[in-house]
Amino acid sequence: MSEMRSGYKLCHVYSMEDIAVPLTPFGSETNQQEVSPMAYKTDIEIAREADKKPIQDIGAKLGIGSDDLLPYGHDKAKVSQSFINSVQDRKDGKL
């Protein structure tokens, strides 16, 4: 979810590299009762294991300059409305 204030939009970005979550393949014949509930990681376990990178590094990788980022801690920031407006002509999901 995002929040808008003073020309900036709050965006949460996480790096989920190197996190493996065991999943039962779609269409598997395995009965749900046979699978141990401990075989799956909870959402909070996955989030805590995430390798959070500094938001400035993520912004730079995406082409968002430091002038367009208003950091909130080390791993999240608001993105300026002027930057958002500058990429409106691009296809959704493409910076």
Side-chain angles (χ1 to χ4, degrees):
M1 186 171 287
S2 60
E3 175 185 330
M4 185 73 161
R5 272 194 202 157
S6 65
Y8 284 84
K9 191 172 187 178
L10 181 62
C11 299
H12 299 273
V13 180
Y14 300 99
S15 175
M16 299 295 288
E17 295 173 1
D18 303 325
I19 295 180
V21 180
L23 298 174
T24 304
F26 181 74
S28 172
E29 297 298 323
T30 306
N31 186 339
Q32 287 294 336
Q33 295 173 346
E34 296 174 12
V35 177
S36 169
M38 298 307 288
Y40 299 94
K41 292 183 181 181
T42 64
D43 291 346
I44 193 69
E45 289 172 329
I46 294 169
R48 287 181 178 160
E49 290 178 10
D51 179 26
K52 296 181 182 179
K53 298 188 181 348
I55 194 65
Q56 291 85 2
D57 293 350
I58 294 170
K61 186 176 179 180
L62 297 173
I64 304 171
S66 60
D67 293 343
D68 292 315
L69 288 175
L70 182 61
Y72 276 70
H74 298 289
D75 55 9
K76 61 183 172 181
K78 287 188 175 185
V79 179
S80 71
Q81 188 64 47
S82 62
F83 178 80
I84 293 170
N85 292 340
S86 73
V87 296
Q88 287 296 316
D89 60 335
R90 298 182 190 176
K91 189 173 178 180
D92 285 350
K94 304 292 181 189
L95 291 176

Coordinates of all heavy atoms in Angstrom, one line a residue:
M1 N 0.9 -1.2 0.0 CA 0.0 0.0 0.0 C 0.9 1.2 0.0 O 2.0 1.2 0.5 CB -0.9 0.0 1.2 CG -1.9 1.1 1.2 SD -3.1 0.9 2.5 CE -4.0 -0.4 1.9
S2 N 0.4 2.3 -0.5 CA 1.2 3.5 -0.6 C 0.5 4.7 0.0 O -0.7 4.6 0.1 CB 1.6 3.8 -2.0 OG 0.5 4.0 -2.8
E3 N 1.2 5.7 0.4 CA 0.7 6.8 1.1 C 1.2 8.1 0.4 O 2.4 8.1 0.1 CB 1.1 6.8 2.6 CG 0.8 8.0 3.4 CD 1.4 7.9 4.8 OE1 1.6 6.8 5.3 OE2 1.7 8.9 5.3
M4 N 0.4 9.0 0.2 CA 0.8 10.3 -0.5 C 0.8 11.4 0.5 O -0.1 11.7 1.2 CB -0.2 10.5 -1.6 CG 0.1 11.6 -2.5 SD 1.5 11.1 -3.5 CE 1.3 12.4 -4.7
R5 N 2.0 12.1 0.5 CA 2.1 13.3 1.3 C 3.1 14.2 0.7 O 4.2 13.8 0.3 CB 2.6 13.0 2.7 CG 1.5 12.7 3.7 CD 2.0 12.7 5.1 NE 1.1 11.9 5.9 CZ 1.5 11.4 7.0 NH1 2.7 11.5 7.5 NH2 0.6 10.7 7.7
S6 N 2.8 15.5 0.7 CA 3.8 16.5 0.2 C 4.5 16.2 -1.1 O 5.7 16.3 -1.2 CB 4.7 16.9 1.3 OG 5.6 15.8 1.6
G7 N 3.8 15.6 -2.1 CA 4.4 15.4 -3.4 C 5.3 14.1 -3.4 O 6.0 13.9 -4.4
Y8 N 5.2 13.3 -2.4 CA 6.0 12.0 -2.4 C 5.0 10.8 -2.1 O 4.0 11.0 -1.5 CB 7.0 12.0 -1.3 CG 8.3 12.8 -1.6 CD1 8.3 14.2 -1.3 CD2 9.4 12.2 -2.1 CE1 9.4 14.9 -1.6 CE2 10.5 13.0 -2.4 CZ 10.5 14.3 -2.2 OH 11.6 15.1 -2.5
K9 N 5.4 9.7 -2.7 CA 4.5 8.5 -2.5 C 5.4 7.4 -1.8 O 6.5 7.1 -2.3 CB 4.1 8.0 -3.9 CG 3.0 6.9 -3.9 CD 2.5 6.7 -5.3 CE 1.4 5.7 -5.2 NZ 0.8 5.5 -6.5
L10 N 4.9 6.9 -0.7 CA 5.6 5.9 0.0 C 5.5 4.5 -0.7 O 4.5 4.0 -0.9 CB 5.0 5.8 1.5 CG 5.7 4.8 2.4 CD1 7.2 5.2 2.6 CD2 5.0 4.8 3.7
C11 N 6.7 3.9 -0.9 CA 6.8 2.6 -1.6 C 7.7 1.7 -0.8 O 8.7 2.1 -0.4 CB 7.3 2.7 -3.0 SG 6.4 3.8 -4.1
H12 N 7.2 0.5 -0.5 CA 8.0 -0.5 0.2 C 8.7 -1.4 -0.9 O 8.0 -2.0 -1.7 CB 7.1 -1.4 1.1 CG 6.4 -0.6 2.1 ND1 7.0 -0.3 3.3 CD2 5.2 0.0 2.2 CE1 6.2 0.4 4.1 NE2 5.1 0.6 3.4
V13 N 10.0 -1.6 -0.8 CA 10.7 -2.4 -1.7 C 11.6 -3.4 -0.9 O 12.3 -3.0 0.0 CB 11.6 -1.6 -2.6 CG1 12.4 -2.5 -3.6 CG2 10.8 -0.5 -3.4
Y14 N 11.4 -4.7 -1.2 CA 12.2 -5.7 -0.5 C 13.0 -6.5 -1.5 O 12.5 -6.8 -2.6 CB 11.3 -6.6 0.4 CG 10.5 -5.9 1.4 CD1 9.2 -5.5 1.2 CD2 11.1 -5.5 2.6 CE1 8.5 -4.9 2.2 CE2 10.4 -4.9 3.6 CZ 9.1 -4.6 3.3 OH 8.4 -3.9 4.3
S15 N 14.2 -7.0 -1.1 CA 14.9 -7.9 -1.9 C 14.8 -9.3 -1.4 O 15.1 -9.5 -0.2 CB 16.4 -7.5 -1.9 OG 17.1 -8.4 -2.6
M16 N 14.2 -10.2 -2.1 CA 13.9 -11.5 -1.6 C 14.9 -12.5 -2.3 O 14.5 -13.7 -2.4 CB 12.5 -11.9 -2.0 CG 11.4 -11.0 -1.3 SD 11.4 -11.1 0.5 CE 10.7 -12.7 0.7
E17 N 16.1 -12.1 -2.6 CA 17.0 -13.0 -3.2 C 17.5 -14.1 -2.2 O 17.6 -13.8 -1.0 CB 18.2 -12.2 -3.7 CG 17.9 -11.3 -4.8 CD 19.1 -10.4 -5.2 OE1 20.2 -10.5 -4.6 OE2 18.9 -9.5 -6.0
D18 N 17.8 -15.2 -2.7 CA 18.3 -16.3 -1.9 C 17.4 -16.8 -0.8 O 17.8 -17.4 0.2 CB 19.7 -15.9 -1.3 CG 20.7 -15.5 -2.3 OD1 20.7 -16.1 -3.4 OD2 21.5 -14.6 -2.0
I19 N 16.1 -16.6 -1.0 CA 15.1 -17.2 0.0 C 14.4 -18.3 -0.7 O 13.7 -18.0 -1.7 CB 14.2 -16.1 0.5 CG1 15.0 -15.1 1.3 CG2 13.1 -16.8 1.4 CD1 14.1 -14.0 1.9
A20 N 14.5 -19.5 -0.2 CA 13.8 -20.6 -0.8 C 12.6 -21.0 0.1 O 12.8 -21.2 1.3 CB 14.7 -21.8 -1.0
V21 N 11.5 -21.1 -0.5 CA 10.3 -21.5 0.2 C 9.8 -22.8 -0.4 O 9.4 -22.9 -1.5 CB 9.2 -20.4 0.2 CG1 7.9 -20.8 0.9 CG2 9.7 -19.1 0.6
P22 N 9.7 -23.9 0.5 CA 9.2 -25.1 -0.1 C 7.7 -25.0 -0.4 O 6.9 -24.6 0.4 CB 9.5 -26.1 1.1 CG 9.6 -25.3 2.3 CD 10.1 -24.0 1.9
L23 N 7.4 -25.4 -1.6 CA 6.0 -25.4 -2.0 C 5.5 -26.7 -2.6 O 6.4 -27.5 -3.1 CB 5.8 -24.4 -3.2 CG 6.1 -22.9 -2.8 CD1 6.0 -22.1 -4.1 CD2 5.1 -22.4 -1.8
T24 N 4.3 -27.1 -2.4 CA 3.7 -28.3 -3.0 C 3.4 -28.0 -4.4 O 2.7 -27.0 -4.6 CB 2.5 -28.8 -2.2 OG1 2.8 -28.9 -0.8 CG2 1.9 -30.1 -2.7
P25 N 3.9 -28.8 -5.4 CA 3.6 -28.5 -6.8 C 2.1 -28.5 -7.0 O 1.3 -29.3 -6.5 CB 4.3 -29.6 -7.5 CG 5.2 -30.2 -6.6 CD 4.7 -29.9 -5.2
F26 N 1.6 -27.7 -7.9 CA 0.2 -27.6 -8.3 C -0.2 -29.0 -8.9 O 0.5 -29.5 -9.7 CB 0.0 -26.5 -9.3 CG -1.5 -26.4 -9.8 CD1 -2.4 -25.9 -8.9 CD2 -1.9 -26.8 -11.0 CE1 -3.7 -25.7 -9.3 CE2 -3.2 -26.7 -11.4 CZ -4.1 -26.2 -10.5
G27 N -1.3 -29.5 -8.5 CA -1.8 -30.7 -9.0 C -1.1 -31.9 -8.3 O -1.3 -33.1 -8.8
S28 N -0.4 -31.7 -7.3 CA 0.3 -32.8 -6.6 C -0.8 -33.7 -5.9 O -1.8 -33.2 -5.5 CB 1.2 -32.2 -5.5 OG 1.7 -33.3 -4.7
E29 N -0.5 -35.0 -5.9 CA -1.4 -35.9 -5.2 C -1.3 -36.0 -3.7 O -2.0 -36.7 -3.0 CB -1.1 -37.3 -5.8 CG -1.4 -37.5 -7.3 CD -2.8 -37.2 -7.7 OE1 -3.7 -37.6 -6.9 OE2 -3.0 -36.5 -8.7
T30 N -0.3 -35.2 -3.2 CA -0.1 -35.2 -1.7 C -1.3 -34.6 -1.0 O -1.8 -33.6 -1.3 CB 1.1 -34.3 -1.4 OG1 2.2 -34.7 -2.2 CG2 1.5 -34.4 0.1
N31 N -1.7 -35.4 0.0 CA -2.8 -35.0 0.8 C -2.3 -33.9 1.8 O -1.3 -34.0 2.4 CB -3.4 -36.2 1.6 CG -4.6 -35.8 2.4 OD1 -4.9 -34.7 2.7 ND2 -5.4 -36.9 2.8
Q32 N -3.1 -32.8 2.0 CA -2.7 -31.7 2.9 C -2.4 -32.2 4.3 O -1.6 -31.6 5.0 CB -3.8 -30.6 2.9 CG -3.9 -29.8 1.6 CD -2.6 -29.0 1.3 OE1 -1.9 -28.7 2.3 NE2 -2.4 -28.7 0.1
Q33 N -3.1 -33.2 4.7 CA -2.9 -33.7 6.1 C -1.5 -34.4 6.2 O -1.0 -34.5 7.3 CB -4.0 -34.6 6.5 CG -5.4 -33.9 6.6 CD -6.5 -34.9 6.8 OE1 -6.4 -36.1 6.7 NE2 -7.7 -34.3 7.2
E34 N -1.0 -34.9 5.1 CA 0.3 -35.6 5.2 C 1.5 -34.7 5.2 O 2.5 -35.1 5.6 CB 0.4 -36.5 3.9 CG -0.6 -37.6 3.9 CD -0.5 -38.4 2.5 OE1 0.5 -38.1 1.8 OE2 -1.4 -39.1 2.3
V35 N 1.3 -33.4 4.9 CA 2.4 -32.4 4.9 C 2.5 -31.8 6.3 O 1.5 -31.3 6.8 CB 2.1 -31.3 3.8 CG1 3.2 -30.3 3.9 CG2 2.0 -31.9 2.4
S36 N 3.7 -31.8 6.8 CA 3.9 -31.2 8.1 C 3.8 -29.7 8.0 O 4.3 -29.1 7.1 CB 5.3 -31.6 8.6 OG 5.6 -30.8 9.7
P37 N 3.0 -29.1 9.0 CA 2.9 -27.6 8.9 C 4.3 -26.9 9.1 O 4.4 -25.8 8.8 CB 1.9 -27.3 10.0 CG 1.9 -28.5 10.9 CD 2.3 -29.7 10.1
M38 N 5.2 -27.6 9.7 CA 6.5 -27.0 10.0 C 7.4 -27.0 8.7 O 8.4 -26.4 8.7 CB 7.2 -27.8 11.1 CG 6.5 -27.7 12.4 SD 6.1 -26.0 12.9 CE 7.7 -25.5 13.4
A39 N 6.9 -27.7 7.6 CA 7.7 -27.7 6.4 C 7.6 -26.4 5.6 O 8.4 -26.2 4.7 CB 7.2 -28.8 5.5
Y40 N 6.7 -25.5 6.0 CA 6.5 -24.3 5.3 C 6.9 -23.1 6.2 O 6.7 -23.1 7.4 CB 5.0 -24.1 4.9 CG 4.6 -25.1 4.0 CD1 3.9 -26.3 4.4 CD2 4.8 -25.0 2.6 CE1 3.5 -27.3 3.6 CE2 4.4 -26.0 1.7 CZ 3.8 -27.1 2.2 OH 3.3 -28.1 1.4
K41 N 7.6 -22.1 5.6 CA 7.9 -20.9 6.4 C 6.7 -20.0 6.5 O 6.0 -19.8 5.5 CB 9.1 -20.2 5.7 CG 10.4 -21.0 5.8 CD 11.5 -20.2 5.2 CE 12.8 -21.0 5.2 NZ 13.9 -20.3 4.6
T42 N 6.6 -19.3 7.6 CA 5.5 -18.3 7.7 C 6.0 -17.0 7.0 O 7.1 -16.8 6.7 CB 5.3 -18.0 9.2 OG1 6.4 -17.4 9.8 CG2 4.9 -19.3 10.0
D43 N 5.0 -16.1 6.8 CA 5.3 -14.9 6.2 C 6.4 -14.1 7.0 O 7.3 -13.5 6.4 CB 4.0 -14.0 6.0 CG 3.1 -14.6 5.0 OD1 3.5 -15.5 4.2 OD2 1.9 -14.2 5.0
I44 N 6.2 -14.1 8.3 CA 7.2 -13.3 9.1 C 8.6 -13.9 9.1 O 9.6 -13.2 9.1 CB 6.7 -13.2 10.6 CG1 7.5 -12.1 11.3 CG2 6.7 -14.5 11.3 CD1 7.2 -10.7 10.9
E45 N 8.7 -15.3 9.0 CA 10.0 -15.9 8.8 C 10.6 -15.5 7.5 O 11.8 -15.2 7.5 CB 9.9 -17.4 8.9 CG 9.5 -18.0 10.3 CD 9.2 -19.4 10.3 OE1 8.7 -20.0 9.3 OE2 9.5 -20.1 11.3
I46 N 9.9 -15.5 6.5 CA 10.4 -15.1 5.1 C 10.8 -13.6 5.2 O 11.9 -13.3 4.7 CB 9.3 -15.3 4.0 CG1 9.1 -16.8 3.9 CG2 9.8 -14.7 2.7 CD1 7.9 -17.1 3.0
A47 N 10.0 -12.8 5.8 CA 10.3 -11.3 5.8 C 11.6 -11.1 6.7 O 12.4 -10.3 6.3 CB 9.2 -10.6 6.4
R48 N 11.8 -11.8 7.8 CA 12.9 -11.6 8.6 C 14.2 -12.1 7.9 O 15.3 -11.7 8.2 CB 12.7 -12.3 9.9 CG 11.7 -11.6 10.8 CD 11.5 -12.2 12.1 NE 10.6 -11.4 13.0 CZ 10.0 -11.9 14.0 NH1 10.1 -13.2 14.4 NH2 9.2 -11.2 14.7
E49 N 14.1 -13.1 7.1 CA 15.3 -13.6 6.4 C 15.6 -12.8 5.1 O 16.7 -13.0 4.5 CB 15.0 -15.1 5.9 CG 15.0 -16.0 7.1 CD 14.7 -17.5 6.7 OE1 14.7 -17.8 5.5 OE2 14.5 -18.3 7.6
A50 N 14.8 -11.9 4.7 CA 15.0 -11.1 3.5 C 16.3 -10.3 3.7 O 16.6 -9.7 4.7 CB 13.8 -10.2 3.3
D51 N 17.1 -10.2 2.6 CA 18.3 -9.4 2.6 C 17.9 -8.0 2.2 O 17.8 -7.7 1.0 CB 19.3 -10.0 1.6 CG 20.6 -9.2 1.5 OD1 20.9 -8.5 2.5 OD2 21.2 -9.3 0.4
K52 N 17.6 -7.1 3.1 CA 17.2 -5.8 2.8 C 18.4 -4.9 2.4 O 19.4 -4.9 3.1 CB 16.5 -5.1 4.0 CG 15.2 -5.9 4.4 CD 14.6 -5.2 5.6 CE 13.3 -5.9 6.0 NZ 12.7 -5.3 7.1
K53 N 18.3 -4.3 1.3 CA 19.4 -3.4 0.8 C 19.0 -2.0 1.0 O 17.8 -1.6 1.1 CB 19.5 -3.7 -0.7 CG 20.0 -5.2 -1.0 CD 20.3 -5.3 -2.4 CE 20.7 -6.7 -2.9 NZ 21.0 -7.7 -1.9
P54 N 20.0 -1.1 1.1 CA 19.7 0.3 1.3 C 18.9 0.9 0.2 O 19.1 0.5 -1.0 CB 21.1 1.0 1.3 CG 22.1 -0.1 1.7 CD 21.5 -1.4 1.1
I55 N 17.9 1.7 0.5 CA 16.9 2.2 -0.5 C 17.6 3.0 -1.5 O 17.2 3.0 -2.7 CB 15.8 2.9 0.2 CG1 14.6 3.2 -0.7 CG2 16.3 4.2 0.8 CD1 13.9 1.9 -1.2
Q56 N 18.7 3.7 -1.2 CA 19.4 4.5 -2.2 C 20.0 3.6 -3.3 O 20.0 3.9 -4.5 CB 20.5 5.3 -1.6 CG 20.0 6.4 -0.7 CD 19.7 6.0 0.7 OE1 20.0 4.8 1.1 NE2 19.3 6.9 1.5
D57 N 20.5 2.4 -2.9 CA 21.1 1.4 -3.8 C 20.0 0.9 -4.8 O 20.2 0.8 -6.0 CB 21.7 0.3 -3.1 CG 23.0 0.7 -2.4 OD1 23.4 1.8 -2.5 OD2 23.5 -0.1 -1.6
I58 N 18.8 0.6 -4.2 CA 17.7 0.1 -5.0 C 17.2 1.2 -5.9 O 17.0 0.9 -7.1 CB 16.6 -0.4 -4.1 CG1 17.0 -1.6 -3.3 CG2 15.3 -0.7 -4.9 CD1 16.1 -2.0 -2.2
G59 N 17.1 2.4 -5.4 CA 16.7 3.5 -6.3 C 17.6 3.7 -7.4 O 17.2 3.9 -8.6
A60 N 19.0 3.7 -7.2 CA 20.0 3.9 -8.2 C 19.9 2.8 -9.3 O 20.0 3.0 -10.5 CB 21.3 3.9 -7.6
K61 N 19.6 1.5 -8.8 CA 19.5 0.4 -9.8 C 18.3 0.6 -10.7 O 18.3 0.2 -11.8 CB 19.4 -0.9 -9.0 CG 19.4 -2.1 -9.8 CD 19.4 -3.4 -8.9 CE 19.4 -4.6 -9.7 NZ 19.3 -5.8 -8.9
L62 N 17.2 1.2 -10.1 CA 16.0 1.5 -10.9 C 16.0 2.8 -11.7 O 15.1 3.1 -12.4 CB 14.8 1.4 -10.0 CG 14.5 0.1 -9.3 CD1 13.4 0.3 -8.3 CD2 14.2 -1.0 -10.3
G63 N 17.1 3.5 -11.5 CA 17.2 4.8 -12.2 C 16.4 6.0 -11.5 O 16.1 7.0 -12.1
I64 N 16.2 5.8 -10.2 CA 15.6 6.9 -9.4 C 16.7 7.6 -8.7 O 17.3 7.0 -7.8 CB 14.5 6.3 -8.4 CG1 13.5 5.4 -9.1 CG2 13.9 7.4 -7.6 CD1 12.6 4.7 -8.2
G65 N 16.9 8.9 -9.0 CA 17.9 9.7 -8.4 C 17.6 10.0 -6.9 O 16.5 9.9 -6.5
S66 N 18.7 10.3 -6.2 CA 18.5 10.6 -4.8 C 17.7 11.8 -4.5 O 17.1 12.0 -3.5 CB 19.9 10.7 -4.1 OG 20.6 11.8 -4.7
D67 N 17.6 12.7 -5.5 CA 16.7 13.9 -5.4 C 15.2 13.5 -5.4 O 14.4 14.3 -4.9 CB 17.0 14.9 -6.5 CG 18.4 15.5 -6.5 OD1 19.0 15.4 -5.4 OD2 18.8 16.0 -7.5
D68 N 14.9 12.4 -6.0 CA 13.5 11.9 -6.1 C 13.1 10.9 -5.0 O 12.0 10.4 -4.9 CB 13.3 11.2 -7.4 CG 13.4 12.2 -8.6 OD1 12.8 13.3 -8.4 OD2 14.0 11.9 -9.6
L69 N 14.1 10.7 -4.0 CA 13.8 9.7 -2.9 C 13.8 10.5 -1.6 O 14.7 11.3 -1.3 CB 14.8 8.6 -2.8 CG 14.8 7.6 -3.9 CD1 15.9 6.6 -3.7 CD2 13.5 6.8 -3.9
L70 N 12.8 10.2 -0.8 CA 12.8 10.8 0.6 C 12.8 9.6 1.5 O 11.8 8.9 1.7 CB 11.5 11.6 0.8 CG 11.4 12.3 2.2 CD1 12.5 13.2 2.4 CD2 10.0 13.0 2.2
P71 N 14.0 9.2 2.0 CA 14.1 8.0 2.8 C 13.3 8.0 4.1 O 13.2 9.0 4.8 CB 15.6 7.9 3.1 CG 16.3 8.8 2.2 CD 15.3 9.9 1.8
Y72 N 12.8 6.8 4.4 CA 12.1 6.6 5.7 C 12.8 5.4 6.3 O 12.4 4.2 6.0 CB 10.6 6.3 5.5 CG 9.7 7.5 5.4 CD1 9.8 8.3 4.3 CD2 8.9 7.8 6.4 CE1 9.0 9.4 4.2 CE2 8.1 8.9 6.3 CZ 8.2 9.7 5.2 OH 7.4 10.9 5.1
G73 N 13.9 5.6 7.0 CA 14.7 4.5 7.5 C 15.7 4.1 6.4 O 16.0 4.9 5.5
H74 N 16.2 2.9 6.5 CA 17.2 2.4 5.6 C 16.7 1.6 4.4 O 17.3 1.5 3.4 CB 18.2 1.5 6.3 CG 18.9 2.2 7.4 ND1 19.9 3.1 7.2 CD2 18.8 2.1 8.8 CE1 20.4 3.6 8.3 NE2 19.7 3.0 9.3
D75 N 15.4 1.1 4.5 CA 14.9 0.2 3.5 C 13.6 0.6 2.9 O 13.0 -0.2 2.2 CB 14.9 -1.2 4.0 CG 14.0 -1.3 5.3 OD1 13.3 -0.3 5.7 OD2 14.0 -2.4 5.9
K76 N 13.1 1.8 3.1 CA 11.9 2.3 2.4 C 12.0 3.8 2.2 O 12.8 4.5 2.9 CB 10.7 1.9 3.1 CG 10.5 2.4 4.5 CD 9.2 1.9 5.1 CE 9.2 2.3 6.6 NZ 8.0 1.8 7.2
A77 N 11.3 4.3 1.2 CA 11.4 5.7 0.9 C 10.1 6.1 0.2 O 9.4 5.3 -0.4 CB 12.6 6.0 0.0
K78 N 9.9 7.4 0.2 CA 8.8 8.0 -0.7 C 9.5 8.4 -2.0 O 10.6 8.9 -2.0 CB 8.2 9.2 0.0 CG 7.3 8.8 1.1 CD 6.5 10.0 1.6 CE 5.5 9.6 2.7 NZ 4.7 10.8 3.1
V79 N 8.8 8.3 -3.1 CA 9.2 8.7 -4.4 C 8.5 9.9 -4.8 O 7.3 10.0 -4.6 CB 9.0 7.5 -5.4 CG1 9.5 8.0 -6.8 CG2 9.6 6.3 -5.0
S80 N 9.2 10.9 -5.3 CA 8.6 12.2 -5.6 C 7.6 12.1 -6.7 O 7.7 11.3 -7.6 CB 9.7 13.2 -6.0 OG 10.2 12.9 -7.3
Q81 N 6.6 12.9 -6.6 CA 5.5 13.0 -7.6 C 6.0 13.4 -8.9 O 5.6 12.9 -10.0 CB 4.4 13.9 -7.1 CG 3.1 13.8 -8.0 CD 2.5 12.5 -8.0 OE1 2.3 11.9 -6.9 NE2 2.1 11.9 -9.1
S82 N 7.0 14.2 -9.0 CA 7.6 14.6 -10.2 C 8.2 13.4 -11.0 O 8.1 13.3 -12.2 CB 8.6 15.8 -10.1 OG 9.7 15.3 -9.3
F83 N 8.9 12.5 -10.2 CA 9.4 11.3 -10.9 C 8.3 10.4 -11.4 O 8.4 9.9 -12.5 CB 10.3 10.5 -9.9 CG 10.9 9.3 -10.5 CD1 12.0 9.4 -11.4 CD2 10.3 8.1 -10.3 CE1 12.5 8.2 -12.0 CE2 10.8 6.9 -10.9 CZ 11.9 7.0 -11.7
I84 N 7.3 10.2 -10.5 CA 6.2 9.4 -10.9 C 5.5 10.0 -12.2 O 5.2 9.2 -13.1 CB 5.1 9.3 -9.8 CG1 5.8 8.5 -8.6 CG2 3.9 8.6 -10.2 CD1 5.0 8.6 -7.3
N85 N 5.4 11.3 -12.3 CA 4.8 11.9 -13.5 C 5.7 11.7 -14.7 O 5.2 11.6 -15.8 CB 4.5 13.4 -13.2 CG 3.4 13.6 -12.2 OD1 2.6 12.8 -12.0 ND2 3.4 14.8 -11.7
S86 N 7.0 11.7 -14.5 CA 7.9 11.5 -15.6 C 7.9 10.2 -16.2 O 8.4 10.0 -17.3 CB 9.4 11.9 -15.2 OG 9.9 10.9 -14.3
V87 N 7.4 9.1 -15.5 CA 7.4 7.8 -16.0 C 6.0 7.3 -16.4 O 5.7 6.1 -16.7 CB 8.1 6.8 -15.1 CG1 9.5 7.1 -14.9 CG2 7.4 6.7 -13.7
Q88 N 5.0 8.2 -16.4 CA 3.6 7.9 -16.6 C 3.4 7.4 -18.1 O 2.5 6.5 -18.3 CB 2.7 9.1 -16.4 CG 2.5 9.4 -14.9 CD 1.8 8.3 -14.2 OE1 0.9 7.7 -14.6 NE2 2.4 8.0 -13.0
D89 N 4.2 7.8 -19.0 CA 4.0 7.3 -20.4 C 4.6 5.9 -20.7 O 4.4 5.4 -21.7 CB 4.7 8.3 -21.4 CG 6.2 8.5 -21.1 OD1 6.6 8.2 -20.0 OD2 6.9 8.9 -22.0
R90 N 5.3 5.3 -19.7 CA 5.8 4.0 -19.8 C 4.8 2.9 -19.5 O 3.9 3.2 -18.7 CB 7.1 3.9 -18.9 CG 8.2 4.8 -19.3 CD 9.4 4.6 -18.5 NE 10.3 5.7 -18.7 CZ 11.5 5.8 -18.0 NH1 11.8 4.9 -17.1 NH2 12.3 6.8 -18.3
K91 N 5.1 1.7 -20.0 CA 4.2 0.6 -19.7 C 4.2 0.3 -18.2 O 5.3 0.5 -17.6 CB 4.7 -0.6 -20.5 CG 3.8 -1.8 -20.5 CD 4.3 -2.8 -21.5 CE 3.4 -4.0 -21.4 NZ 3.8 -5.1 -22.3
D92 N 3.1 -0.1 -17.6 CA 3.0 -0.4 -16.2 C 4.1 -1.4 -15.8 O 4.4 -2.4 -16.6 CB 1.7 -1.0 -15.8 CG 0.6 0.1 -15.8 OD1 1.0 1.3 -15.8 OD2 -0.6 -0.3 -15.7
G93 N 4.8 -1.2 -14.7 CA 5.8 -2.0 -14.2 C 7.2 -1.8 -14.8 O 8.1 -2.5 -14.5
K94 N 7.3 -0.8 -15.7 CA 8.6 -0.5 -16.4 C 9.1 0.9 -15.9 O 8.5 1.9 -16.3 CB 8.4 -0.5 -17.9 CG 7.9 -1.8 -18.4 CD 8.8 -3.0 -18.2 CE 8.3 -4.2 -18.8 NZ 9.1 -5.4 -18.5
L95 N 10.2 0.9 -15.2 CA 10.8 2.2 -14.9 C 11.8 2.4 -16.0 O 12.3 3.3 -16.4 CB 11.5 2.1 -13.5 CG 10.6 2.0 -12.3 CD1 11.4 1.9 -11.1 CD2 9.7 3.2 -12.2

